[in-house]
Amino acid sequence: MMDGVIQHSLCNLYWHVLWGEYYNALFMVLLAMAITYMTGDLDLAIEYDGWGNPAFLVQFILACIMGFILMYSIMLCTAYNSALTTTIVGCLKNLLTTYVGMVFGGDYIFTWTNFIGLNISVVGSLFYSYYTFVEKKQPKPQGAQNGGEKNSQSS
């Protein structure tokens, strides 16, 4: 009995996330098309010579699929946990991407100024994540929970 309820709830959660993804794409495609048209990027994309190249098409389709999987996983993470958890996981992902990109990217040119700047950015990001998480866990004062109003029963 309980197993069926859990499966039904998970099924509803997956559909909820998929519909959220669908409506997000549906509402944003018009805005994105308008912006690309106004900036001239739509014409450049249509006239791109690589559309006939099968290797480009495979990579383009795979990039679209990976983008969908990324957005789906972000929305699923938020649905299962909270927006705060998604923010912190996103911050950690950005840190990992930064350092992996420095080592394996091939386009990072080491200078002390660049290296120190990146590390200051990383430390700031870690402090932000830590203090945001700690602030969320601390209980709010009694007056702040009721919008600053005093409890009418205590007067």
Side-chain angles (χ1 to χ4, degrees), residues 4-145:
V5 172
I6 292 172
Q7 286 178 342
H8 182 70
S9 297
L10 289 176
C11 183
N12 286 340
L13 178 65
Y14 289 128
W15 279 110
H16 174 70
V17 171
L18 283 174
W19 278 109
E21 185 81 17
Y22 171 76
Y23 283 118
N24 183 27
L26 182 67
F27 293 134
M28 290 308 298
V29 72
L30 297 175
L31 180 63
M33 292 298 282
I35 291 172
T36 56
Y37 177 75
M38 288 187 295
T39 60
D41 289 339
L42 184 61
D43 295 328
L44 292 173
I46 291 171
E47 296 169 2
Y48 181 63
D49 294 333
W51 289 114
N53 184 351
F56 169 76
L57 289 176
V58 167
Q59 291 174 0
F60 181 77
I61 290 169
L62 287 175
C64 292
I65 291 169
M66 287 187 290
F68 171 77
I69 291 171
L70 175 65
M71 289 302 299
Y72 180 74
S73 64
I74 289 170
M75 293 184 81
L76 199 61
C77 178
T78 304
Y80 272 122
N81 301 300
S82 69
L84 176 64
T85 303
T86 304
T87 302
I88 291 173
V89 168
C91 177
L92 295 176
K93 176 199 62 92
N94 291 339
L95 296 177
L96 182 66
T97 303
T98 299
Y99 283 122
V100 169
M102 284 172 55
V103 175
F104 298 111
D107 61 347
Y108 175 74
I109 299 171
F110 179 81
T111 62
W112 280 107
T113 306
N114 191 9
F115 182 74
I116 292 170
L118 281 171
N119 284 305
I120 289 172
S121 172
V122 165
V123 169
S125 182
L126 288 172
F127 276 130
Y128 171 77
S129 295
Y130 175 75
Y131 285 116
T132 303
F133 186 70
V134 168
E135 180 180 297
K136 179 76 174 181
K137 285 186 129 186
Q138 291 178 348
K140 293 181 180 179
Q142 184 65 25
Q145 289 177 350

